[in-house]
Amino acid sequence: MTKDSWLFKQLFANWKKFEITYILILLFLQVIVYIIAPDSFIGMISGVFGVLCLIYGMKGRKINFAFGLVQTLAMTLIAYQTHSWMSFVMGIFYVLSQPVGWFFWGQDDAIHEFRPKTRRLIFLGAFIAWVVVWGIDALLNGQLPYFDALNLIIPLIAQVLYILKYKENWSLWIVVNTAAVIYWTILTVQFIMGVNTQGQLGMYLSQVALQGALLFNAIYANRFWASGEADNEGGTK
């Protein structure tokens, strides 16, 4: 692998010191969680590859979908084992969206932006869809249906916008990741207290750590994409 190769540029080109520092911190956090609760290797895999996927996605680099495929497979298994049904359905969509994203990001590398009126309609539609799915999930006896529904419908919209490289996707991810941190934290507490017996402690802790990392990255990426720095795969061409 030479410095002029596509893979080298995707992985190593144009990183800021701040970005390298927070990447290492987020990866270290996943390892610490596994050391604390080593009962779920699949949870650590989800966390580590999730961090790699999100940081390369923040940089606008196509390689993120390769890491994302591993992460989404692991996350879908965790959602199934913990009976987070809407998250499980969303996980299947994530898995299928990785090759689609790989294709689309090879066609157009520019960042796009909606007009203000269109943006408001998208956000309103996302809210209405969340309420509807919340009701369906409650009927299916899903865990914490108001959060579980949010983990389905809003990410669905955000992922489509992400694949099409619309910067508004990060605003939706900030909402999703905030809710996901609360969701997995509540499930973790319930598991520790014995109220919830689905899955393993390591699964829950790894998801809390991962969603916290996703939230931090979404906030940073929102500014990064707005600046135009993510155009052309993070300046690697």
Side-chain angles (χ1 to χ4, degrees):
M1 183 171 58
T2 66
K3 290 185 178 181
D4 293 328
S5 68
W6 178 86
L7 183 59
F8 183 90
K9 290 180 179 179
Q10 285 282 305
L11 292 174
F12 304 115
N14 302 332
W15 288 97
K16 301 175 182 178
K17 290 183 179 180
F18 168 75
E19 294 169 348
I20 295 174
T21 300
Y22 95 70
I23 289 166
L24 293 176
I25 292 173
L26 295 184
L27 289 173
F28 182 68
L29 179 61
Q30 301 303 317
V31 176
I32 290 298
V33 167
Y34 182 68
I35 292 174
I36 294 173
D39 56 3
S40 178
F41 182 73
I42 194 69
M44 187 187 71
I45 293 296
S46 174
V48 169
F49 278 84
V51 169
L52 293 174
C53 174
L54 68 90
I55 61 176
Y56 283 104
M58 174 272 295
K59 295 291 279 188
R61 298 185 184 180
K62 189 175 181 177
I63 194 70
N64 86 88
F65 292 105
F67 295 117
L69 182 61
V70 178
Q71 190 270 328
T72 53
L73 286 169
M75 183 188 68
T76 303
L77 178 59
I78 290 172
Y80 176 78
Q81 293 180 340
T82 58
H83 292 187
S84 300
W85 299 124
M86 293 302 170
S87 296
F88 173 71
V89 173
M90 193 61 212
I92 296 175
F93 171 76
Y94 279 145
V95 172
L96 297 177
S97 71
Q98 301 309 304
V100 175
W102 181 278
F103 172 79
F104 273 94
W105 279 35
Q107 306 302 309
D108 184 2
D109 293 325
I111 303 299
H112 309 291
E113 182 177 2
F114 288 112
R115 295 179 178 178
K117 182 178 180 180
T118 304
R119 187 184 305 121
R120 288 192 295 269
L121 289 174
I122 290 174
F123 291 166
L124 176 61
F127 175 78
I128 294 173
W130 166 57
V131 173
V132 172
V133 175
W134 175 359
I136 295 174
D137 195 22
L139 292 175
L140 295 175
N141 296 319
Q143 294 200 70
L144 305 177
Y146 37 92
F147 282 124
D148 201 18
L150 189 64
N151 289 336
L152 171 65
I153 196 63
I154 308 302
L156 179 66
I157 299 171
Q159 185 71 358
V160 171
L161 297 183
Y162 177 70
I163 288 173
L164 298 177
K165 277 200 168 181
Y166 278 92
K167 78 177 189 65
E168 285 82 4
N169 85 88
W170 294 113
S171 297
L172 293 177
W173 284 122
I174 291 172
V175 175
V176 171
N177 298 145
T178 300
V181 169
I182 299 172
Y183 173 76
W184 287 104
T185 299
I186 292 174
L187 291 183
T188 301
V189 173
Q190 289 180 342
F191 185 89
I192 293 173
M193 296 177 64
V195 177
N196 169 25
T197 59
Q198 306 297 332
Q200 298 165 317
L201 178 60
M203 291 181 176
Y204 292 105
L205 290 177
S206 67
Q207 290 307 301
V208 172
L210 175 58
Q211 294 303 325
L214 289 169
L215 174 58
F216 178 85
N217 186 77
I219 294 171
Y220 182 75
N222 194 44
R223 295 179 57 189
F224 190 81
W225 279 39
S227 71
E229 293 182 76
D231 283 353
N232 302 313
E233 297 187 314
T236 59
K237 288 189 176 181

